[in-house]
Amino acid sequence: MAFWIDFVEARRAVDTLVDLAHDEPDERPTCVILVGQSGMGKTSILREAQRRILLDFPEPYDWDEARHAPVLRTVIPSSPTSLKINLTLLWKQGWPITRSIHRVADLKVVDLLQQQRTRLVAIDNVHAILTAGGKARRDTLDAFRFLMSEGKVPMVVAGLEVAADIFAEDVELAYRSIVLRLQPWAPGEASQRLILALAQGMRLVEPERLAEPDMAEFIWRHSHGVTGNFKRLLHWALKVAHRDGRERVAFADLRAAADLLPAHVPA
């Protein structure tokens, strides 16, 4: 079940992306690099930003036949070339993928960005296509540069920390980029607030009890401060409780869930 957790770092990231979407078209638009460990909520931030931007830029009543797409959000297949990047974007833009389009895919993408009034392009799991070496990496960065400059649209790329390192090696992209980092949760009050928000969002019985110091410390220790691990541990603890015919998660259920999830190791 997907739901938004309005913690400070996530809200700041969403606000930054929404602010970008309100910028007028620019020949050198900004690129936001959103990085953090797997499970820290990057995809949720992109989803929430998309929701807010769609509210800010509703489809005009006199809209023509072009698709209205204020946000273009996608994941690019691994081992990319610029052609694969552009074909993926065309697919998300609703354009039919034919053999003839291959020759002008990059030009068609930027043409549709303007026709569909796209305010932000969001690429998730970008580290998967940036970790290729040599020509493939250069081809990817060049495709991003062309997309932003000719499409006159800002971009956000989300991924592991290595993505920020790779962008930093490109002088032009580094100059126009903003880096937003999501740090793991600290023990204590911060993680207690997260656990309470998660437990409430998951509609667990007596969510305040799960955020009490002893239980919160156990959950934090077995989640290593990673947002997705907190949620996964609570989710499986509820499953353990259900097996015994109970709705209320007990400490013993958390311990059993921790044993079921040995993959809870630092990323």
Side-chain angles (χ1 to χ4, degrees), residues 225-239:
V226 176
T227 308
N229 288 348
F230 282 92
K231 187 175 181 180
R232 193 171 298 113
L233 187 57
L234 291 172
H235 175 73
W236 279 95
L238 180 60
K239 285 183 176 290

Side-chain angles (χ1 to χ4, degrees), residues 21-69:
H22 282 266
D23 285 347
E24 292 303 314
D26 189 347
E27 292 183 355
R28 294 176 64 82
T30 300
C31 179
V32 172
I33 307 168
L34 177 64
V35 294
Q37 294 184 28
S38 178
M40 281 304 301
K42 300 181 293 294
T43 299
S44 295
I45 287 170
L46 297 184
R47 187 189 305 114
E48 176 64 13
Q50 182 177 25
R51 186 191 69 81
R52 284 181 48 183
I53 293 168
L54 290 175
L55 291 176
D56 289 348
F57 297 95
E59 182 174 322
Y61 74 93
D62 58 347
W63 191 247
D64 57 22
E65 294 182 356
R67 175 182 292 191
H68 184 254

